[in-house]
Amino acid sequence: MSSPSRRTVALSLCGAVVAALVAIALLVPLPFTIMYPGITANTLGVFPDAKAVGVGGTPAQVLSITGHPLRQTVGQLRMVTIAATPPQQSISIEAALKAWPNPSEAVVPRDAVYPAGQSLAQVNATDQQEMTESQDAATDAALGYLKLSPAKVKVSISLADVGGPSAGLLFTLGIIDELDGNGTGRPGAAGDLTNGAVIAGTGEIDGAGNVSAVGGVALKTKAAARDGATVFLVPEDECSDALAGLPHGLRLIPVSTLQGAISALGALQTGVGTVPSCS
């Protein structure tokens, strides 16, 4: 039997080297994070609830309001989140390539989610501080809209392990719905801002009721649809992002102010007036 030629041996060695390099490359960690739809929480109910899969703890009322009579609400106002692989978790090329074409995942630079040089504890602390500021702004916006004194009406918001400012609009709407509903004084769904439906949304809000962009809406719409929402309130500046891969059956309503959001929900309920659209 003749021995292999030099060319055959060389090609075999090259092939083995290439295969080894590819195998190594697939295992080398990349400075990326994979983001995906996170949990949602009904600001009119308790958290965690049946939709908060994998979240432990004793359910607690999200909004606790004293100093004013409260309504019994029927619908849901669900704030939404996005989740991400933790900063200490290595993302391989293989994992990134699998996630890249998936419309329910996004591969982003790690520094875009976790600022360089910050530990996970520091990131969480920042998120919690932003959440506290968001809750304060939401309370100011809601009580200002209803012309109620913050000295008499006290609002406490409890949402364990959820941080960031993006739930502000939904907190504000939740406070208004529990205190005054849609302003008609009718009981049940007819008096709700939601008309008894599952409404989701996102948006940072300031004390004056201005709504601003928060990012990640293409993933948040998927979390909203997954958890039963039929309408999604989105900051007006993020319409194009929200339309990307929009789940079937989820209606987008762009908003830029609290008043605009309430007017849109009123028009949606009564059929009178214009309901803004992103398309």
Side-chain angles (χ1 to χ4, degrees):
M1 180 180 295
S2 60
S3 59
S5 67
R6 289 185 178 180
R7 183 172 183 274
T8 300
V9 172
L11 288 175
S12 297
L13 288 173
C14 287
V17 170
V18 169
L21 290 174
V22 170
I24 292 171
L26 290 175
L27 297 175
V28 171
L30 299 175
F32 290 103
T33 291
I34 298 176
M35 304 177 71
Y36 48 93
I39 56 111
T40 71
N42 178 20
T43 61
L44 298 172
V46 298
F47 180 83
D49 61 9
K51 299 293 185 181
V53 178
V55 179
T58 303
Q61 199 69 33
V62 175
L63 295 175
S64 298
I65 305 174
T66 58
H68 192 281
L70 301 181
R71 298 180 60 255
Q72 183 64 46
T73 57
V74 177
Q76 297 182 28
L77 286 165
R78 301 197 76 92
M79 55 80 67
V80 295
T81 68
I82 51 177
T85 51
Q88 70 272 18
Q89 181 175 330
S90 298
I91 303 300
S92 66
I93 292 178
E94 182 180 17
L97 290 176
K98 284 183 179 179
W100 208 283
N102 188 339
S104 292
E105 295 182 324
V107 181
V108 299
R110 185 180 298 156
D111 289 352
V113 181
Y114 304 108
Q118 285 194 8
S119 66
L120 182 57
Q122 290 173 316
V123 172
N124 289 338
T126 299
D127 286 347
Q128 287 303 313
Q129 178 62 33
E130 290 179 342
M131 173 64 91
T132 299
E133 293 171 354
S134 173
Q135 293 171 355
D136 291 343
T139 299
D140 290 345
L143 297 184
Y145 176 83
L146 295 173
K147 296 179 172 57
L148 294 174
S149 170
K152 295 183 178 182
V153 181
K154 300 298 182 182
V155 180
S156 174
I157 302 176
S158 175
L159 203 56
D161 300 325
V162 177
S166 66
L169 173 61
L170 273 294
F171 285 144
T172 303
L173 293 174
I175 295 167
I176 292 172
D177 210 12
E178 291 202 359
L179 288 172
D180 193 53
N182 58 20
T184 63
R186 296 172 182 169
D192 283 355
L193 286 177
T194 63
N195 196 30
V198 180
I199 308 292
T202 190
E204 185 174 359
I205 197 166
D206 64 20
N210 299 303
V211 178
S212 55
V214 290
V217 294
L219 296 177
K220 290 179 178 178
T221 56
K222 294 173 177 60
R226 179 199 65 207
D227 288 354
T230 55
V231 172
F232 190 89
L233 302 174
V234 61
E236 190 172 41
D237 291 342
E238 295 184 285
C239 262
S240 59
D241 291 341
L243 285 168
L246 182 68
H248 178 72
L250 187 64
R251 181 174 185 173
L252 291 178
I253 296 181
V255 298
S256 58
T257 64
L258 172 60
Q259 180 61 67
I262 291 175
S263 296
L265 291 175
L268 187 67
Q269 182 178 39
T270 63
V272 178
T274 301
V275 180
S277 172
C278 281
S279 57

